[in-house]
Each structure stands twice: as C-alpha cells, then as structure tokens.
Amino acid sequence: METSTASISQLAAGVGDMVRQALDRYTQFSEDCPPRLCEAIRYSLLAPGKRLRPLLVLMSAEACGGDMEAALPAACAVEMIHTYSLVHDDLPCMDDDDLRRGRPTCHKQFGEALAVLAGDALLTMAFETLAGHLRPARVAADCCLELARAAGPMALVAGQADDLDGETAAPDLARLESIHRRKTGALILASVRLGGIIARASRRQRSALEEYGKRLGLAFQITDDLLDVAGDENTLGKRAGKDADRGKLTFPGLLGVDESRRRAEQLVTEAVAALRRIGPQAEGLEALARAVLERNH
Ligand code: GRG
C-alpha cells in the first residue's frame, strides 16, 4: 500500500471538488426556500471543510469494489449531517463559537433563529438525498437506517448531551471515550459503513471497515484535542484553546500530550492493519488514516 501523503492530498482535493459540486447541485432550491435560509444553508455547507466523512464514504465504497459516483449521494448526506451538527454546536446555547471553517459561524452571520433553521434543513435534506438519489431502494433504505442511527439519540445527539454535562463531570477515561465514540466516532463509523453498503461489501470487508472506522474515529478525536492545545487558529479556521478555557474533559487533559499522541498513533496502526483484510484497493483509506495523524487543521 503506497499512496503517499502528497498523492492523498491530490486525491482528497479531486474528491473534495466532486463532493463540493454535488453539494452545490443539491442546494439549488426553488423560490419556496426563503433567500436568507438558502444563503445560510449554502454558507455553512459549502464552506471549506476537510470533507473527511465524504472521503471515507467514497473511498470505502471503492475499496470494496464499488463505484464512487454511485456513493456520491451518501457522501453528501453525511456531510449535511456533519454540517448541521457543527452549526448547532456553535450556537450560544451549546459551545458558543464565533469562528468555523475560517469564517464567522452561521449564527454570527445570519442570527440564531436562522442558524437553528439552517441546521434543521440540513438534517432533513440528508435523508431526502439518500432516499431520492441512491438506488436500488433497498440500498437507500439501509443507508437511511445507518445514518439515522449514527445521528440519533443514542449516538451523535447522545454524545453531545453528555459532552455538555462533561464540563462539570469528574475526569474519567471511560466516560471520555464513551462521549467521543458517539459524538465524533459514530458519524465516522457510519461513513465507512455506508461505503460498504453501497459497494455490497462482503462480510469480511464490512468487519474490516468496522474495525478501521472505530479506531479512526477515536484517533481523529484525539488529534482534534491535541490541535486544540497546540494548533494555530488561522490554520485551524476555528478558535484554539477552547477546551481548557471551558474546563472540558479532553485526552491531553487526562493523559498528557505525549500519551495522547502515542494512543492516536497506536489506533491508526491498528486501523491500517484491519485494512489488510480488504486488500490493496484499500490504499486510499490507509493514506487517509495516516493523514489524520499528520493533520494541522
Ligand atoms: C449539535 C447534535 C449536535 C452535535 C454536535 C460536531 C459536534 C457534535 C461538535 C463539534 C465540536 C467538536 C470539536 C467535535 C469533535 C470533532 C469534530 C467533529 C470536529 C469537527 O470536524 P472536522 O474537523 O470539521 O472534520 P470540518 O470543518 O473540517 O468538516
């Protein structure tokens, strides 16, 4: 498996363009959508995010012998859910942030009420995109179920609720991992599973994707916590040092920077090892996992 860091960046840029164009097409609303709402949705969704989750959907499908084009609606649906979660997370009643993806947050730009509605619209549009654009219907239904579970009250929403509570809870590694398995990990795991569903992956391929996705999700969160400690605000496109300011439970806070880094590396090694069960066509996923470790934003 030899995809280099340079070639994964090129691949990611190419796939990122493909995803951006599709997101642009999915947000060409009729005049029934009020112009300010349309603007708020597109402002957040088309902002320059890393598109990690869409990349995972598309590369997982490809790794299992599927077609990236066929998986594009699922890649966009996951990005819609992710963007909705960021818009709502940034609200004053949640994390109260003013900078996201290098721009003022949605509520800073459009006001709180419209930001809530833009998030609501993105959440709904994700399922419309899956149901309306994936074929056959059985695959669309399976993908709807997968994404709904990952975004729902036992996963993404649960992790967020516990994270808000975590600001006052006693430090505990099991609790921290449980929060991030749901808040960050569930959508990352769903991304690789969606790719597998669309590619009609074998049982062996699905179990490899599962192992890869779980480990990558946790590694991604640990690097997110490390960047909050040491990252540069301009590169990050969001405020740094927020976790410590809020007394949040984090991996470096609990384990220290060096041990957190070691854990992230170990998780990526294990994630990559799981890909051997898929074969050489999983090299994009391997490069993506390594890029998560090296990321600076
Ligand atoms: C409001 C239901 C609800 C959930 C919010 C996404 C989220 C849950 C909180 C965001 C805060 C945070 C730092 C989460 C940890 C990791 C994470 C999801 C970071 C943002 O994802 P990136 O880095 O963002 O992939 P881009 O902008 O690149 O897409």
Side-chain angles (χ1 to χ4, degrees), residues 278-290:
I278 298 184
Q281 68 280 24
E283 63 174 11
L285 289 176
E286 172 173 352
L288 205 53
R290 298 201 191 284

Side-chain angles (χ1 to χ4, degrees), residues 156-236:
L156 175 67
V157 176
Q160 177 74 352
D162 275 351
D163 193 33
L164 293 172
D165 264 0
E167 292 176 20
T168 52
D172 172 342
L173 186 61
R175 179 179 167 81
L176 184 62
E177 290 196 354
S178 153
I179 289 173
H180 292 309
R181 180 175 45 78
R182 291 167 293 156
K183 186 178 129 180
T184 308
L187 215 48
I188 288 180
L189 180 57
S191 301
V192 300
R193 280 181 173 162
L194 290 175
I197 293 171
I198 292 162
R200 315 280 225 287
S202 66
R203 191 182 291 242
R204 182 180 164 83
Q205 289 172 323
R206 284 186 199 213
S207 98
L209 285 178
E210 180 101 6
E211 226 172 291
Y212 169 86
K214 283 182 179 158
R215 283 164 177 74
L216 186 70
L218 193 52
F220 182 82
Q221 180 61 51
I222 297 176
T223 58
D224 206 72
D225 284 1
L226 286 166
L227 286 170
D228 189 71
V229 175
D232 164 63
E233 217 151 87
N234 286 327
T235 320
L236 284 176

Side-chain angles (χ1 to χ4, degrees), residues 47-54 79 81-90 94-95 97 100-101 151-152 156-161 163 180 182-184 187-188 220-221 224-225 227 236 238 242-243 248 295 297:
K50 292 182 287 299
R51 312 289 187 218
L52 168 70
R53 296 151 193 83
E79 188 67 9
I81 297 279
H82 170 58
T83 307
Y84 124 76
S85 78
L86 296 177
V87 169
H88 281 192
D89 181 66
D90 288 335
M94 300 240 188
D95 256 15
D97 272 309
R100 171 71 64 187
R101 293 178 164 174
L156 175 67
V157 176
Q160 177 74 352
D163 193 33
H180 292 309
R182 291 167 293 156
K183 186 178 129 180
T184 308
L187 215 48
I188 288 180
F220 182 82
Q221 180 61 51
D224 206 72
D225 284 1
L227 286 170
L236 284 176
K238 60 182 181 180
K242 293 176 311 181
D243 295 340
K248 264 205 171 161
R295 74 194 182 104
H297 70 295

